[in-house]
Amino acid sequence: MIEAVSPIVEWHIRNLLNFLTEATPVAEIAPADAIFVFGSSSNADLRARFAAQLWREQKAPGIIFTGGPWKLGSEQPDFDTEAEFCFDLARREGVPSEALFHEKQSSNTKENVQLGVRVLREAGINPESLILVSFPPHLRRVCATFRQQFPEIEVVGSTWEPLDLSLFVNEPARWIGRLVGEVTRLGTYALKGDIAPVEIPATVKRSWSCLKALYGER
């Protein structure tokens, strides 16, 4: 149990996490045309290593890393972009360079999707199926983005170990607020036409309302 929050707040946190983390267990994922990794200034190393693990398990013949320049304060001195950092790490994890691709201009999820698919197609890969790797609570939105932008491509979300709930103890306003913000973005981005509409269950809406009142949103 999270000691810094009440049992009911912990239940609401888990409820949002379970809904937002649209992931399929690795053992149940069918082989796809590529592993598509979304950029991030945080946990980039986890994404790269997990993508390399999927490649070693022959879930796809190649990996594409997306993500432009680092956010201020999270820079890696040897790499200008998130994608280049992940590319190098995957190579050091044993994935050969010819199985790796990167897109290093995107600055948001929609650009990750559009520019990443462009890179694959320019490399002669016209994907019909992709395994998407991202921060766990980001997975439902990245899947919805693909379903709107490229409905002809079948996508499945995947991620490393479940989030350590201690995150919500150490920085509750940041991490709980981020969960709340993710649910909000599912609605606002669908209205903009960036993602496919996502049905939000009533129980998730109640958890969203409760946590937003307590912690705000990011």
Side-chain angles (χ1 to χ4, degrees):
M1 180 182 296
I2 302 173
E3 295 180 357
V5 299
S6 69
I8 186 62
V9 169
E10 181 181 346
W11 186 90
H12 286 309
I13 292 169
R14 291 183 185 277
N15 194 33
L16 290 195
L17 271 176
N18 290 337
F19 172 70
L20 291 169
T21 306
E22 186 184 332
T24 299
V26 172
E28 299 176 16
I29 295 177
D33 294 321
I35 299 158
F36 193 107
V37 185
F38 286 79
S40 173
S41 293
S42 61
N43 55 61
D45 56 335
L46 294 176
R47 299 170 193 237
R49 290 191 175 94
F50 181 68
Q53 173 193 328
L54 292 173
W55 180 86
R56 286 192 297 269
E57 295 186 19
Q58 300 183 330
K59 294 299 183 179
I63 306 170
I64 178 165
F65 294 103
T66 67
W70 299 96
K71 292 181 180 178
L72 187 64
S74 59
E75 300 89 341
Q76 295 288 336
D78 296 328
F79 302 95
D80 293 331
T81 66
E82 299 161 358
E84 290 169 303
F85 170 83
C86 290
F87 184 104
D88 180 76
L89 182 50
R91 186 167 50 189
R92 289 189 278 117
E93 288 282 313
V95 185
S97 296
E98 57 268 26
L100 294 170
F101 307 88
H102 59 48
E103 174 287 305
K104 52 186 182 179
Q105 296 180 341
S106 58
S107 60
N108 58 55
T109 300
K110 182 179 177 181
E111 290 179 357
N112 290 151
V113 169
Q114 293 176 332
L115 299 179
V117 170
R118 179 190 300 174
V119 167
L120 288 175
R121 288 176 172 172
E122 289 175 350
I125 302 169
N126 191 25
E128 296 181 0
S129 59
L130 292 169
I131 300 168
L132 309 185
V133 174
S134 189
F135 182 61
H138 189 212
L139 282 171
R140 187 165 294 277
R141 181 157 59 89
V142 302
C143 289
T145 304
F146 254 103
R147 289 169 185 145
Q148 178 71 8
Q149 302 299 320
F150 296 101
E152 72 277 14
I153 300 176
E154 182 179 353
V155 295
V156 60
S158 188
T159 191
W160 54 94
E161 292 294 323
L163 280 184
D164 183 349
L165 292 186
S166 65
L167 286 173
F168 302 99
V169 174
N170 298 331
E171 297 182 84
R174 175 186 178 187
W175 292 107
I176 298 176
R178 186 166 177 176
L179 292 183
V180 173
E182 272 300 309
V183 176
T184 299
R185 284 185 281 276
L186 292 176
T188 57
Y189 287 16
L191 288 174
K192 291 169 58 179
D194 290 349
I195 72 173
V198 175
E199 182 176 354
I200 301 175
T203 59
V204 172
K205 291 179 180 178
R206 287 196 292 271
S207 293
W208 170 85
S209 179
C210 174
L211 295 178
K212 182 178 180 182
L214 291 172
Y215 297 99
E217 64 181 335
R218 292 174 63 92

